[in-house]
């Protein structure tokens, strides 16, 4: 089955075509150069740039795959969660395409698609497994019982892991998106140079809270500035990266025992982080668990992962009606 998928949930316009779990084409038009001057994504600019890019990207995708729209069996689109203006561009384009061609339209949840990035990287991977989804907006531990059956066992209470990285990186003067630069700079730093807190979470021990850690880093930077002392950026990046990794590993350990999982799957933009990948891979090796992580180019937002999840949504009968809407927030467990 050939699926053409569209992803516009944040600041990347992406179109991909896959046949079963094999990618025929995957294009991403990144807007990072536009947003870099503002130090973060400006939603109005993001929506406008999606509108400018999407038609051309669609034509390019078909032409690079040497296909016509008639060769495609279904259209898939990210419809939630994300920036509402951005999502609406993709959803409306996909609805128009499905309506004009008479092809089925498959709505895909953004976090489900991040997990599905692993189905492309490892074509033999099958649920059940334990997924750690860490991105700019989410830090979730998810018991993936089947391709379309999810149970969230730990979730973001405040700032997500990526948000914490990005805001701290910005305070250190690093360009957007900070997480990527912070990871690179951390390689040359001492992870024990700064002692940073691992905030406690009341209630569910699997829930994540990174805002206390972010505040601690920002306070250290500001206090140093006031005293006229330069912080060592390499050491701060390494210390923050290590602390985030330790927090994640602690929770992953509990979740693995709780769910008796044998396979650990990383997903989301932050799963590109080299320290997190190394540490969790090592943890899996020590504990005889299978370790999966998307290829680096499929960790961040892309449409190939949307198409991969769409395969299973389609098999599960999840076909959108022509009144499909976009939603800024939506739980991964229950769809609209
Ligand atoms: O999944 P994603 O592309 O978009 C969302 O759905 O949020 O994730 C983007 C996030 C950003 O916060 C970015 O800084 C972070 O992923 N990120 C990283 C790395 N690469 C991307 N964070 C830490 N280390 C990286 N290597
Ligand atoms: Zn994402």
């Amino acid at each position: 089955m050939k699926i053409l998928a569209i992803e516009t949930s944040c600041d990347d316009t992406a179109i991909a075509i896959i046949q079963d779990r094999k990618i025929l084409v995957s294009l991403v038009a990144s807007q990072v150069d536009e947003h870099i001057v503002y130090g973060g994504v400006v939603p109005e600019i993001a929506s406008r740039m999606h509108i400018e890019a999407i038609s051309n990207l669609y034509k390019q995708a078909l032409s690079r795959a040497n296909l016509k729209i008639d060769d495609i069996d279904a259209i898939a689109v990210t419809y939630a969660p994300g920036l509402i203006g951005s999502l609406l561009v993709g959803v409306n384009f996909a609805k128009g395409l499905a309506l004009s061609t008479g092809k089925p339209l498959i709505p895909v949840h953004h976090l489900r698609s991040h997990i599905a990035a692993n189905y492309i990287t490892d074509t033999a991977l099958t649920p059940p497994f334990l997924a750690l989804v860490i991105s700019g907006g989410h830090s979730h531990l998810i018991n993936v019982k089947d391709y379309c059956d999810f149970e969230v066992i730990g979730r973001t209470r405040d700032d997500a892991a990526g948000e914490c990285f990005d805001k701290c990186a910005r305070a250190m003067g690093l360009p957007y998106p900070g997480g990527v630069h912070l990871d690179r700079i951390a390689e040359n730093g001492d992870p024990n140079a700064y002692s940073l807190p691992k905030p406690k979470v009341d209630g569910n021990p699997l829930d994540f809270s990174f805002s206390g850690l972010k505040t601690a880093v920002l306070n250290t930077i500001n206090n140093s500035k006031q005293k006229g002392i330069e912080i060592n950026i390499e050491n701060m990046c390494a210390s923050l990266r290590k602390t985030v990794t330790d927090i994640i590993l602690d929770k992953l350990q509990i979740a693995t025992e709780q769910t008796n999982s044998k396979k650990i799957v990383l997903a989301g933009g932050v799963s590109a982080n080299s320290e997190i990948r190394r540490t969790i891979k090592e943890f899996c090796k020590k504990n005889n668990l299978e370790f999966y992580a998307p290829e680096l180019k499929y960790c961040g937002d892309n449409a190939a992962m949307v198409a991969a999840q769409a395969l299973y949504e389609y098999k599960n009968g999840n076909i959108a009606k022509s009144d499909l809407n976009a939603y800024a927030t939506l739980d991964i467990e229950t769809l609209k």
Side-chain angles (χ1 to χ4, degrees):
M1 179 176 192
K2 290 196 193 77
I3 298 182
L4 182 143
I6 297 163
E7 149 67 38
T8 62
S9 67
C10 189
D11 60 339
D12 292 302
T13 319
I15 303 214
I17 303 171
I18 70 164
Q19 178 159 23
D20 302 319
R21 283 189 183 192
K22 187 172 171 285
I23 299 174
L24 303 182
V25 65
S26 175
L27 303 179
V28 180
S30 168
Q31 304 177 357
V32 77
D33 291 345
E34 284 300 314
H35 299 290
I36 206 164
V37 285
Y38 305 101
V41 177
V42 182
E44 289 78 8
I45 297 180
S47 339
R48 187 156 22 91
M49 292 201 69
H50 284 308
I51 294 172
E52 285 169 15
I54 199 161
S55 293
N56 204 22
L57 206 65
Y58 162 72
K59 285 180 206 149
Q60 260 189 57
L62 281 174
S63 124
R64 295 239 193 131
N66 209 8
L67 293 169
K68 299 208 162 29
I69 188 65
D70 287 346
D71 303 320
I72 303 294
D73 300 299
I75 314 292
V77 66
T78 310
Y79 76 116
L83 298 174
I84 192 68
S86 292
L87 286 166
L88 280 168
V89 177
V91 166
N92 283 323
F93 191 86
K95 273 162 76 170
L97 199 57
L99 199 69
S100 62
T101 57
K103 299 192 189 290
L105 177 61
I106 310 166
V108 179
H109 187 284
H110 187 58
L111 295 191
R112 290 189 179 195
S113 68
H114 268 303
I115 294 171
N118 288 278
Y119 301 145
I120 313 163
T121 300
D122 199 307
T123 49
L125 172 64
T126 54
F129 52 75
L130 175 64
L132 170 71
V133 186
I134 37 178
S135 70
H138 298 86
S139 323
H140 276 20
L141 276 161
I142 302 172
N143 187 9
V144 181
K145 298 175 184 170
D146 206 340
Y147 292 104
C148 300
D149 187 1
F150 303 83
E151 182 197 3
V152 179
I153 55 172
R155 64 179 73 238
T156 319
R157 286 275 184 92
D158 38 53
D159 289 3
E163 206 171 337
C164 172
F165 277 138
D166 291 347
K167 292 198 174 138
C168 294
R170 189 168 158 178
M172 286 185 266
L174 306 182
Y176 168 83
V180 186
H181 301 280
L182 187 144
D183 188 18
R184 185 175 35 80
I185 292 168
E187 290 294 313
N188 302 316
D190 171 6
N192 300 312
Y194 290 95
S195 164
L196 298 171
K198 286 202 237 164
K200 285 249 176 321
V201 183
D202 289 337
N204 183 0
L206 296 180
D207 280 353
F208 293 92
S209 165
F210 288 107
S211 82
L213 173 60
K214 176 194 73 183
T215 307
V217 172
L218 299 185
N219 285 345
T220 308
I221 296 169
N222 289 336
N223 290 343
S224 297
K225 259 189 208 152
Q226 278 166 4
K227 289 181 194 149
I229 306 167
E230 286 275 305
I231 65 145
N232 181 311
I233 291 189
E234 289 173 350
N235 287 348
M236 181 54 92
C237 288
S239 303
L240 174 60
R241 188 176 72 163
K242 171 80 171 32
T243 309
V244 169
T245 306
D246 287 349
I247 293 171
I248 287 173
L249 183 65
D250 282 351
K251 292 182 191 290
L252 187 69
Q253 259 166 328
I254 305 171
T256 308
E257 280 170 29
Q258 193 175 302
T259 53
N260 202 15
S261 297
K262 301 286 173 255
K263 299 177 192 173
I264 307 296
V265 172
L266 303 194
V270 182
S271 69
N273 187 272
S274 25
E275 175 79 5
I276 295 174
R277 284 171 93 98
R278 271 196 297 265
T279 306
I280 296 180
K281 194 173 180 184
E282 188 59 27
F283 161 74
C284 289
K285 201 172 152 198
K286 267 197 202 140
N287 293 281
N288 250 330
L289 306 166
E290 290 176 35
F291 169 80
Y292 299 88
E295 212 182 312
L296 285 181
K297 63 179 168 192
Y298 299 117
C299 286
D301 293 343
N302 66 87
M305 67 185 194
V306 180
Q309 180 60 23
L311 275 172
Y312 301 102
E313 298 290 344
Y314 182 77
K315 284 183 189 157
N316 227 32
N318 186 9
I319 313 289
K321 301 204 184 79
S322 56
D323 62 352
L324 176 70
N325 207 347
Y327 302 92
T329 54
L330 183 66
D331 213 294
I332 189 173
E333 292 168 349
T334 37
L335 300 182
K336 279 196 185 167

